[in-house]
Amino acid sequence: MEPGEEFGPWLGRQLQRQNLTQAGLAAKVGVTRAAVSAWITGRAQPRPETIRQIAEAFGTDLTTVYTRVEDAVPAHAVTWYHRPAHADGGREFGNPAAFAFDADLGVLAREATQNSLDEQHDPTHPVRVRFTLHELTGEQLANFLDALQWNSLKAHYHAAASSGQKVSRALADGLRELESSGSLLLLRVDDYNANGLTGPEYGDGRFAAVVRRQLDNHKVDKQRAGGSYGLGKATLWAASRFGLVLINSTLSEPHEGRTARRVIGRLDLPWRQVGGEAFAGPAWFGEPDSDREFPGVSRSWWAVEKETADLHLEREGDAPGTTFLVVGAQDAAALAAGDDGLQAMHDKLCDSLSENFWAAMTGTADVPPLLQASVRTLRNGKELIPETHVSPDERQPALARALRAHLNGTTVEEITSLTDVVSRTVPLTVPPLRSEGRGAQPVTHEAVLLVTPAVDNDLRPNEMVSMRGNRMKISVRRPRDLGVGVEPFQAVLLAGFATGRTGSDVGVAETFLRASEPPEHDRWEYTEELATAYVRGARRRLDEFRAAADAALRSVVGIRAAAPADGSPPELLRKLLQLAPGGSGPAPRRRGRGHPVIDDIDGSVDESGAWVLSVRIAVPQQDDACRLVAVPHIGVDRADSGARVRWRELTAMENCAVDGDVVVVAPGVRSAAFTGITDVDSHPVAPGMASVSVSLRKAEEGSTRS
Amino acid sequence: MSRTLYPYPVLFGRPELEITRVRVDGRQLDFAKISHSQRSVALDGIGGTDDEKWQTATLDVRATLPEEEIADGPWSELHCVAVLEEAATETRIVRRLIKDRASGTWQGSVPLHRSRHRSRATLGVQVVAAVGDVRGRLIGRSENDWVLDLQEQLPVRDKEIDIVEVDFRDGPHVWLRPFKDAPWFIETDGDMPTVYLNQGVDGLGLLLRGNGGPAEKATAALVNAQIVSDAWVTMFHAAAGDLETDEDGNVRVPPGWRESVLLAMLPDVLPGLSPTDALHELLARREDGDGWSTLQARVQYAASLRAQLPKQLAATLRATTLASEGATR
């Protein structure tokens, strides 16, 4: 009996589903109860004729019994199981792990993607992550809530929302909004080429760590992993207004002989009382377990396609990985700003992915990227915002270029052009662990600093990004002491596994740096873990590392003041004798403009070829009337150039008077306007062939200046 | 292009120009001599000795144009050109740029022949197109042009006045000998003004560097301010003396340091006048002679402001008062 599940467990489950005892089956098939028991424990196998009878007994076909990739008997109806209240009377009014994070889509994108990266299944291909915002209204919403058995939850929600605690208020808001707006926002996070939620239902394993336990950091390759406290998944529940997340996983290793469509839902509510019974926090959506140990508890079930489709959980293809569906997605910042627009959320996800994972998304022809990410937005199944593939070259071009040069081995020693990437080594001395005992030696690890000139559309130049492990961004610093007027640059510091090297020092350095990170994993500092695990001097090593990185950076971009051959002239003299090309000098004291200027010119060429211009001027506070001559110029290249021409007509429009060729502005007037028509005969070129501008002069007493 | 009207539609967005690489006589120029943030290139001090002066520098440039605006607009037969010019030598070189399909930028290279330039050349980009029936109309130009300086070793945009310390009596400059008793001399004939400090005056250099206690520092600051004030007065008069009018009646200022000095000082010398008006006034007073003497006092005042003389004097007074108080205590 070949593929699919082992016959024994499969048979056992079919019996449970039908509520048939071993004796009952034995009678139907015409064997002894002992024989059935032997089948179930795997000690014996039934004969081919008997298999046909077993198939009949279950009302299914032979193929199903032979291949055992499906169940012969449909599952017991899926239902919600709520954990009963504690026997000791204790109550939790919220999930503490969820409080560690704000409901923030940016943080969720970071944590969820980091977890997906840490679970990479096939290292020769990238992990694909896709975020989908899906708004449901009307009939689609009703169908979804039905599939979710929302009605059975209502009583629990209302009970939880009425307790007056902080969590309850948020729940109450969410429920009210659902009723009034008739729309619900789902956020779906898919990963492909990840391990999926493998392992047993309740015992140690990925599944239990995510679904049933708090703070269980079950990562197989603990060394390379980004996160380390198991807090990350709490962001998913924190992002749901209703504390409700559905999960569909395709497993990389079979469980119960199956891999596809392992589905379960989990709900986190505070303590509540419903129908006279008290319930503690979590609840699970699944098949009632007929296992004697956990009777009635909802466990994951192997869903059929229709079920996953109704719950909007259907995955594409059969690559392993997990789909999380956050029901009622929210973003605290967007709510506070009053803008929960889908475009804003879509952009926020893109920005967070790009900012945190540009390095993982960078690859070369020989070294594929670790991650591919995209974001899309749907409404009732139709695409609202097209799928955006997050590209590091678009958003962080200089950083991506730096990393690519490192992966390709095309870094240089000195910068000679805009696209060069310089590589320098930065030593990190890792102190020995306390557990290694006396005589243990420190280990030197060579981290890599990459520096490249920044391009114009880099939003934040002059920063050093530090990373380790799976190219996870740890911190972004703005180093000082580089000298004023440094040319804009971007720098990346790669440590541990991020250097791409192998060697015993790499793992040691990685562990050391990981121990120096706080729960948020956003800097390297002196932590408790560091103090207890390593010998004295760990803190100094970290400081030395930071200083060495700064020194390496300075050696590349720092201003080398050109020392003149002889002693330099006195400093103060030099400073005061500076000339700017435009001519503002060393002491541009801000004083008001003391003279009238042109504020605005507008106009066009009329049929006769003359320019018809309306001019607005701004005049400073004066005690006397201001007499100005406005002179039009044709063929203007710079200010006040071009040939002067005459006015045919000059008319005052606002706040001024015209006296011959002079515009008179009364004292106290700040702004005036007039129109003028040029005299075509005085134009040096054909009409419509040259530009025009107007300049202002103070009028001389008596005659106008020539 | 603000406040200038064109009889045909022009671009609203500005083209931008970047210099990506500079080769001097075929050799790559050290990237430290190109400053993107200040948009300037220093072309002096290349190579070993002064005898081997380079002949030609080739600038590889890349321009970005407002492409969407161009695509939507009424312009056709688009050309993009890089323009290298220096007003002092009346040099103007125009090179067409070719559009690179891959990146969407316009690229090309511009030659700079050292023999055709004196001190500073500017490099910008212009966009030319056919509008209506007329071809070759200028529809856009870059705003911040690059400055290529043949006399500077470091790429900076602001020029500094040279300060040279020599012995007037025994030093290399024969023409300084008549001034051997003067502590300093300001010369304005060359391309850049130069302040000569007389090393023959014992201790002057040391004094000016102001090492020592507060009294020494205060004195140093005061003497520095005096020198700077003298320099500005001299430069102002030298620049004012070079003013001319052209046929249109516009006043022409020789470009370079003279323009910078006048523009810097005129707001204080002749307040309340626009720069053009002030230049006219200055010229008129110089030629008529009327009002020239009253101008002198104002020039002195403006120069002392630039030298921060009031501030230094106040600091010195404070320092000396404190010192004398300290002595009596």
Side-chain angles (χ1 to χ4, degrees):
Chain A
M1 308 225 173
E2 290 310 339
E5 196 175 352
E6 288 290 320
F7 183 67
W10 181 85
L11 183 64
R13 190 166 63 250
Q14 309 316 311
L15 288 181
Q16 283 174 357
R17 286 186 167 193
Q18 277 220 322
N19 274 337
L20 197 57
T21 59
Q22 291 180 12
L25 179 66
K28 280 197 176 183
V29 177
V31 296
T32 61
R33 196 205 68 83
V36 175
S37 172
W39 295 341
I40 290 188
T41 50
R43 279 180 287 128
Q45 308 255 335
R47 290 198 304 274
E49 313 83 78
T50 325
I51 291 185
R52 201 174 310 121
Q53 284 173 301
I54 294 174
E56 267 177 41
F58 287 136
T60 186
D61 55 67
L62 272 179
T63 325
T64 309
V65 183
Y66 270 108
T67 57
R68 292 183 310 285
V69 292
E70 279 187 350
D71 287 313
V73 183
H76 286 249
V78 173
T79 180
W80 281 100
Y81 163 80
H82 300 260
R83 180 190 279 173
H86 297 300
D88 62 12
R91 302 179 184 184
E92 283 107 21
F93 287 105
N95 176 359
F99 279 110
F101 294 95
D102 275 334
D104 186 302
L105 290 186
V107 174
L108 185 151
R110 186 185 79 209
E111 297 297 325
T113 311
Q114 188 57 55
N115 284 332
S116 299
L117 262 183
D118 289 340
E119 295 292 339
Q120 186 177 23
H121 178 62
D122 177 0
T124 62
H125 287 90
V127 175
R128 282 190 330 279
V129 167
R130 182 165 69 186
F131 288 77
T132 309
L133 287 162
H134 194 170
E135 188 180 4
L136 293 180
T137 60
E139 196 182 318
Q140 294 228 2
L141 174 60
N143 290 340
F144 175 72
L145 292 179
D146 267 346
L148 200 49
Q149 296 179 19
W150 184 256
N151 284 328
S152 77
L153 289 178
K154 265 196 185 161
H156 286 268
Y157 272 121
H158 282 292
S162 58
S163 89
Q165 304 280 341
K166 168 178 172 172
V167 170
S168 314
R169 280 200 291 281
L171 269 179
D173 284 340
L175 289 168
R176 202 182 4 234
E177 170 120 3
L178 180 59
E179 298 290 314
S180 63
S181 69
S183 92
L184 180 68
L185 182 62
L186 306 175
L187 171 61
R188 188 176 141 159
V189 184
D190 301 297
D191 62 34
Y192 296 92
N193 189 23
N195 286 318
L197 297 179
T198 58
E201 187 71 32
Y202 305 100
D204 288 345
R206 290 189 180 93
F207 180 84
V210 172
V211 180
R212 298 201 176 269
R213 300 180 179 180
Q214 305 276 46
L215 289 179
D216 177 356
N217 171 37
H218 180 95
K219 287 204 208 269
V220 175
D221 185 358
K222 280 195 161 58
Q223 277 225 306
R224 237 184 244 265
S228 65
Y229 290 85
L231 270 180
K233 66 180 192 290
T235 55
L236 291 163
W237 277 269
S240 160
R241 296 185 95 157
F242 305 107
L244 171 52
V245 177
L246 302 174
I247 306 171
N248 172 15
S249 195
T250 306
L251 308 182
S252 56
E253 288 157 15
H255 169 66
E256 296 177 351
R258 310 275 296 270
T259 55
R261 291 201 192 85
R262 185 179 195 177
V263 180
I264 191 162
R266 179 184 159 137
L267 166 61
D268 265 335
L269 284 181
W271 181 94
R272 62 209 174 272
Q273 241 183 347
V274 177
E277 254 187 275
F279 297 94
W284 287 274
F285 187 55
E287 181 185 29
D289 204 339
S290 14
D291 192 327
R292 265 189 300 276
E293 221 187 310
F294 302 101
V297 175
S298 284
R299 46 154 285 162
S300 63
W301 83 100
W302 301 103
V304 296
E305 195 176 327
K306 179 172 186 320
E307 288 173 302
T308 47
D310 282 344
L311 290 170
H312 293 279
L313 285 173
E314 181 65 16
R315 288 168 64 85
E316 289 175 7
D318 43 15
T322 313
T323 295
F324 290 94
L325 187 72
V326 176
V327 177
Q330 61 175 344
D331 180 281
L335 277 182
D339 164 34
D340 49 358
L342 290 174
Q343 181 72 54
M345 288 201 215
H346 180 110
D347 291 338
K348 193 164 187 182
L349 288 169
C350 290
D351 288 341
S352 173
L353 286 168
S354 161
E355 194 178 311
N356 289 303
F357 298 104
W358 62 267
M361 292 193 272
T362 302
T364 65
D366 303 316
V367 180
L370 295 173
L371 174 72
Q372 283 170 353
S374 64
V375 181
R376 65 177 180 160
T377 302
L378 310 173
R379 178 179 284 148
N380 287 332
K382 291 219 183 40
E383 201 173 65
L384 194 61
I385 302 174
E387 187 156 5
T388 312
H389 293 272
V390 182
S391 154
D393 286 307
E394 227 174 80
R395 291 159 187 260
Q396 266 91 5
L399 289 171
R401 179 176 68 230
L403 185 59
R404 200 172 289 124
H406 173 72
L407 294 174
N408 273 335
T410 56
T411 55
V412 297
E413 278 301 308
E414 293 290 335
I415 296 186
T416 50
S417 85
L418 262 188
T419 51
D420 281 345
V421 178
V422 173
S423 170
R424 292 261 191 275
T425 47
V426 179
L428 165 64
T429 316
V430 182
L433 291 164
R434 281 185 205 270
S435 56
E436 282 173 26
R438 291 175 175 279
Q441 293 300 316
V443 175
T444 307
H445 168 69
E446 289 191 331
V448 175
L449 178 70
L450 304 170
V451 186
T452 187
V455 295
D456 278 335
N457 53 0
D458 263 337
L459 291 172
R460 291 198 309 252
N462 296 4
E463 290 181 337
M464 185 194 303
V465 179
S466 305
M467 3 189 94
R468 65 160 179 86
N470 274 337
R471 296 189 216 147
M472 170 170 135
K473 178 186 88 165
I474 297 293
S475 74
V476 176
R477 277 197 306 127
R478 189 169 273 258
R480 284 179 267 261
D481 294 341
L482 291 176
V484 178
V486 149
E487 287 298 308
F489 66 87
Q490 292 282 14
V492 184
L493 180 64
L494 301 171
F497 286 109
T499 55
R501 292 204 315 272
T502 50
S504 56
D505 61 303
V506 177
V508 169
E510 183 82 25
T511 315
F512 175 67
L513 290 173
R514 213 145 156 268
S516 71
E517 290 163 18
E520 300 87 23
H521 294 288
D522 60 357
R523 57 185 171 279
W524 290 320
E525 62 179 10
Y526 190 59
T527 59
E528 281 270 344
E529 199 181 332
L530 211 58
T532 49
Y534 289 89
V535 306
R536 264 167 160 227
R539 169 191 242 156
R540 205 170 336 124
R541 298 285 164 264
L542 274 181
D543 290 340
E544 279 167 10
F545 183 47
R546 191 176 308 121
D550 282 354
L553 181 62
R554 209 174 301 129
S555 77
V556 179
V557 299
I559 292 285
R560 275 155 297 215
D566 39 41
S568 57
E571 190 59 39
L572 195 56
L573 262 186
R574 275 183 55 227
K575 274 205 327 234
L576 292 172
L577 289 173
Q578 267 181 336
L579 291 175
S584 67
R589 286 167 4 242
R590 262 301 89 204
R591 52 181 105 77
R593 243 183 353 220
H595 52 87
V597 284
I598 304 235
D599 236 1
D600 186 32
I601 307 180
D602 195 14
S604 56
V605 182
D606 71 6
E607 319 82 46
S608 67
W611 275 99
V612 181
L613 301 172
S614 44
V615 182
R616 175 166 289 280
I617 55 178
V619 182
Q621 199 76 348
Q622 304 258 28
D623 292 330
D624 307 319
C626 184
R627 297 174 58 87
L628 299 169
V629 175
V631 183
H633 299 257
I634 293 279
V636 182
D637 188 31
R638 310 210 178 276
D640 290 345
S641 65
R644 298 193 205 184
V645 297
R646 292 191 299 270
W647 295 112
R648 192 178 84 218
E649 223 179 274
L650 196 60
T651 325
M653 294 301 286
E654 203 183 297
N655 285 347
C656 58
V658 170
D659 172 18
D661 271 347
V662 176
V663 176
V664 185
V665 179
V669 168
R670 301 304 292 268
S671 166
F674 58 91
T675 52
I677 306 180
T678 58
D679 181 2
V680 187
D681 294 334
S682 64
H683 285 205
V685 291
M689 280 296 132
S691 56
V692 71
S693 182
V694 176
S695 67
L696 287 182
R697 297 287 158 75
K698 248 196 169 69
E700 273 289 289
E701 294 308 305
S703 62
T704 56
R705 240 191 252 273
S706 59
Chain B
M1 289 210 173
S2 59
R3 306 215 187 111
T4 304
L5 291 184
Y6 285 78
Y8 52 86
V10 294
L11 282 176
F12 185 68
R14 294 228 175 240
E16 296 285 336
L17 185 72
E18 287 287 327
I19 294 184
T20 53
R21 206 171 54 139
V22 178
R23 278 168 296 143
V24 178
D25 282 343
R27 285 191 324 266
Q28 194 96 296
L29 182 66
D30 181 14
F31 209 62
K33 285 193 175 297
I34 308 175
S35 166
H36 283 265
S37 50
Q38 304 211 30
R39 306 176 88 80
S40 67
V41 177
L43 289 169
D44 190 28
I46 306 167
T49 66
D50 284 329
D51 295 338
E52 328 160 347
K53 292 282 195 186
W54 51 275
Q55 305 283 345
T56 313
T58 312
L59 314 160
D60 291 341
V61 298
R62 183 175 71 189
T64 32
L65 268 49
E67 298 287 352
E68 298 95 38
E69 197 187 342
I70 292 174
D72 288 341
W75 308 289
S76 55
E77 292 183 50
L78 207 75
H79 295 294
C80 182
V81 291
V83 180
L84 176 71
E85 50 190 353
E86 180 169 2
T89 58
E90 297 198 347
T91 310
R92 187 185 156 92
I93 295 184
V94 178
R95 277 284 177 280
R96 193 173 289 189
L97 303 181
I98 312 287
K99 185 160 182 178
D100 171 38
R101 296 253 163 256
S103 59
T105 56
W106 297 71
Q107 297 177 2
S109 67
V110 183
L112 186 144
H113 302 286
R114 202 171 63 83
S115 54
R116 298 196 200 164
H117 294 274
R118 201 174 66 167
S119 55
R120 282 187 149 199
T122 53
L123 180 68
V125 65
Q126 296 184 1
V127 185
V128 175
V131 189
D133 301 325
V134 185
R135 303 167 63 206
R137 310 206 90 163
L138 178 68
I139 60 169
R141 70 199 305 170
S142 53
E143 190 167 7
N144 297 320
D145 291 344
W146 282 71
V147 169
L148 308 148
D149 200 319
L150 280 82
Q151 295 171 337
E152 287 288 334
Q153 303 214 5
L154 288 181
V156 283
R157 225 163 156 99
D158 293 351
K159 291 203 66 114
E160 279 183 9
I161 296 173
D162 294 327
I163 303 173
V164 178
E165 289 180 76
V166 286
D167 193 327
F168 285 18
R169 193 177 57 179
D170 301 325
H173 301 281
V174 181
W175 56 270
L176 277 174
R177 294 233 176 103
F179 310 111
K180 59 185 191 291
D181 293 327
W184 54 78
F185 186 81
I186 294 144
E187 193 236 334
T188 52
D189 289 337
D191 271 340
M192 276 300 283
T194 314
V195 173
Y196 290 98
L197 299 174
N198 194 354
Q199 279 175 334
V201 175
D202 279 335
L204 179 64
L206 220 54
L207 171 69
L208 287 177
R209 281 172 177 80
N211 307 319
E216 280 86 356
K217 280 199 175 29
T219 321
L222 209 51
V223 178
N224 274 318
Q226 185 62 45
I227 299 178
V228 173
S229 180
D230 279 356
W232 282 101
V233 170
T234 314
M235 291 194 293
F236 180 85
H237 282 296
D242 283 341
L243 287 178
E244 302 164 338
T245 43
D246 63 14
E247 339 53 81
D248 287 333
N250 296 326
V251 175
R252 251 216 321 225
V253 186
W257 67 266
R258 293 175 178 80
E259 186 181 8
S260 306
V261 167
L262 286 175
L263 287 181
M265 290 189 62
L266 279 175
D268 287 318
V269 176
L270 292 168
L273 293 178
S274 68
T276 341
D277 281 343
L279 286 172
H280 275 273
E281 181 66 24
L282 191 58
L283 201 56
R285 292 198 192 193
R286 189 189 80 185
E287 285 173 357
D288 299 345
D290 182 25
W292 184 249
S293 34
T294 38
L295 205 64
Q296 294 314 302
R298 294 205 67 88
V299 172
Q300 200 74 28
Y301 163 67
S304 70
L305 279 186
R306 293 230 86 80
Q308 298 181 353
L309 194 56
K311 189 172 103 173
Q312 302 302 344
L313 187 57
T316 310
L317 287 172
R318 260 201 310 275
T320 47
T321 326
L322 277 177
S324 63
E325 274 178 8
T328 55
R329 220 172 280 161

